[in-house]
Amino acid sequence: MRKLIFAINTTLDGVVDHMKIGPPDQETGEYFVHLTRDAGTFLYGRKTYQLMVPYWPDVAKNLSGPTTARTEFAQAFVAVDNIVVFSRSLDKAEGKNTRIVRTNLHGEILKLKQEKGKDIHTGGVTLASQLAELGLIDEYRIVVHPIVAGEGRRLFEGINLQEKLQLKLVESKTFKSGCVLLHYLKQ
């Protein structure tokens, strides 16, 4: 069975707005490149999808200059076989490997987990919160940046759990920049 992995960058005070965090340093960027290379499917809500596409495919098309974590991430992103966007308002998706799902989040995820292939990855806030509420996320990979943003969209904002979600820390790593990776498994 494939695992559903939630990965995200956050500030120390839980803000996940990429504009508040800024671009990752080379080492943190390389971590996300390796993580993305292990993905067979991406799950996004409309907002995260529209942040990622067409941005990363455009970066991959216009590669020039030295290889960086940014260009490697773009190449890894476009190599992923399948993108599933959960949205009621998105009219169409870009790319032949992208499809829109409008209903039955729980059933769709269970079906995707049964398929063969690489793991399923997700990011963002709203969809990840819904997946956490349903108990469908198997791993949490959170990179905490040494920044206090003070305001902005927060990690798991508005989550409504029936009971406490128990996680087990299986890895932590401090990057040279001061970012800290926290890798948890659902218990």
Side-chain angles (χ1 to χ4, degrees), residues 58-128:
D58 286 350
V59 170
K61 283 181 203 166
N62 300 308
L63 295 177
S64 63
T67 301
T68 64
R70 180 177 178 270
T71 58
E72 285 186 49
F73 182 87
Q75 291 171 318
F77 181 86
V78 298
V80 171
D81 297 329
N82 190 21
I83 298 175
V84 180
V85 183
F86 291 90
S87 174
R88 291 185 184 100
S89 61
L90 191 64
D91 292 328
K92 65 177 188 157
E94 295 184 34
K96 62 183 181 295
N97 67 337
T98 303
R99 67 186 172 94
I100 300 171
V101 175
R102 301 195 188 286
T103 60
N104 196 7
L105 175 63
H106 190 264
E108 185 67 27
I109 301 305
L110 293 179
K111 186 173 79 174
L112 286 168
K113 283 184 166 193
Q114 295 300 320
E115 292 175 359
K116 292 184 181 185
K118 294 180 175 181
D119 288 330
I120 304 162
H121 290 220
T122 192
V125 178
T126 304
L127 180 62

Side-chain angles (χ1 to χ4, degrees), residues 23-33 67-70 72 177:
D25 62 276
Q26 184 70 19
E27 185 181 21
T28 306
E30 288 171 3
Y31 170 76
F32 279 101
V33 168
T67 301
T68 64
R70 180 177 178 270
E72 285 186 49
S177 63

Side-chain angles (χ1 to χ4, degrees), residues 6-10 31-32 140-144 155-156 167 180-184:
F6 171 58
I8 197 161
N9 289 289
T10 183
Y31 170 76
F32 279 101
Y140 294 78
R141 297 181 184 219
I142 300 168
V143 176
V144 181
L155 185 62
F156 297 117
L167 304 174
V180 178
L181 162 67
L182 300 171
H183 179 184
Y184 295 96

Side-chain angles (χ1 to χ4, degrees), residues 4-71:
L4 176 52
I5 298 169
F6 171 58
I8 197 161
N9 289 289
T10 183
T11 63
L12 189 59
D13 57 337
V15 174
V16 292
D17 181 336
H18 69 284
M19 299 301 285
K20 304 268 185 192
I21 296 170
D25 62 276
Q26 184 70 19
E27 185 181 21
T28 306
E30 288 171 3
Y31 170 76
F32 279 101
V33 168
H34 293 293
L35 191 61
T36 301
R37 286 182 180 148
D38 291 338
T41 301
F42 284 135
L43 305 179
Y44 294 129
R46 180 191 54 81
K47 290 178 187 175
T48 303
Y49 172 71
Q50 290 177 323
L51 283 172
M52 302 297 277
V53 176
Y55 182 80
W56 289 112
D58 286 350
V59 170
K61 283 181 203 166
N62 300 308
L63 295 177
S64 63
T67 301
T68 64
R70 180 177 178 270
T71 58

